[in-house]
Amino acid sequence: VEAWGYSALWTPEAVGRDPFSFIGFLAGQTESLVLATGIANIYARDPMTMKSIHKTCAELAPGRFILGLGGGHAPFNAPWGSSAGKPVTEMREYVAQVRTYMEPTQAPPIMLAALGPRMPALAGEQADGVLLAQGAFSHADDWLESLRLLKASIPADVLSKAKLLVLNYPNSPTGKNAP
């Protein structure tokens, strides 16, 4: 993948595969490729388990791992017994717990996936960036305001290095009332 000129690879959980096993494998096969989850579902594992996985991936790919977290969609969450009823509230608690368990010097970036207008604001408070998923476009005016607030909260030197990733799940059941 590096030989083809790629600088990053984002691997999803939504296709029925564990993204962290794949990242662990790729970490040993690559030297500079940034490895990221796009996304890992917070309903699939508790915060303590996520902290351990986060730390392990960061050790396998030092300076090259990004943890992309999301709340998924109701049909994807059904196997875990979650309805994702309050994803922003649950994400806030989850990220706070994951960060509590992490040593600041070993904390790789965390990105939050957003389907609606409230998650980008949470990303500005607790994460290092936001991944806008397809459903976000049905809330364009609202999430643009959230992004303005997010941008205002990021120091200029960090913002100058920022990139925006828009996830596209063409057959995904994104709802009109996504957070």
Side-chain angles (χ1 to χ4, degrees), residues 11-19 39 45 76 79-80 169:
T11 183
E13 185 164 50
V15 293
R17 300 283 190 270
D18 173 42
I39 56 113
R45 49 193 76 71
F76 297 140
W80 294 296
Y169 296 106

Side-chain angles (χ1 to χ4, degrees), residues 5 15 26 62 68 70 75 82 88 95 112-113 118 123 131 134 137 140 152-153 160 166-167 174:
V15 293
L26 289 174
S82 172
V88 174
V95 172
L112 301 185
R118 294 185 314 249
L131 305 165
Q134 179 182 0
F137 296 109
S153 71
S160 69
V166 178
L167 300 175
T174 55

Side-chain angles (χ1 to χ4, degrees), residues 25-147:
F25 170 77
L26 289 174
Q29 307 297 316
T30 58
E31 295 177 12
S32 61
L33 187 69
V34 172
L35 304 167
T37 57
I39 56 113
N41 193 314
I42 65 169
Y43 300 107
R45 49 193 76 71
D46 64 80
M48 188 65 173
T49 302
M50 182 59 75
K51 174 261 178 196
S52 297
I53 293 169
H54 195 221
K55 185 175 180 179
T56 301
C57 288
E59 290 170 350
L60 292 172
R64 301 189 294 133
F65 176 62
I66 299 171
L67 178 62
L69 294 174
H73 308 283
F76 297 140
N77 293 343
W80 294 296
S82 172
S83 65
K86 298 186 182 246
V88 174
T89 300
E90 292 167 0
M91 181 68 77
R92 177 177 283 111
E93 293 168 2
Y94 191 91
V95 172
Q97 289 176 11
V98 169
R99 290 231 189 253
T100 298
Y101 298 133
M102 292 177 8
E103 294 108 35
T105 58
Q106 297 176 334
I110 294 177
M111 307 279 284
L112 301 185
L115 293 174
R118 294 185 314 249
M119 199 64 80
L122 178 61
E125 295 169 22
Q126 287 189 320
D128 301 294
V130 64
L131 305 165
L132 297 176
Q134 179 182 0
F137 296 109
S138 64
H139 303 279
D141 293 337
D142 293 330
W143 66 254
L144 283 173
E145 181 56 30
S146 292
L147 289 175

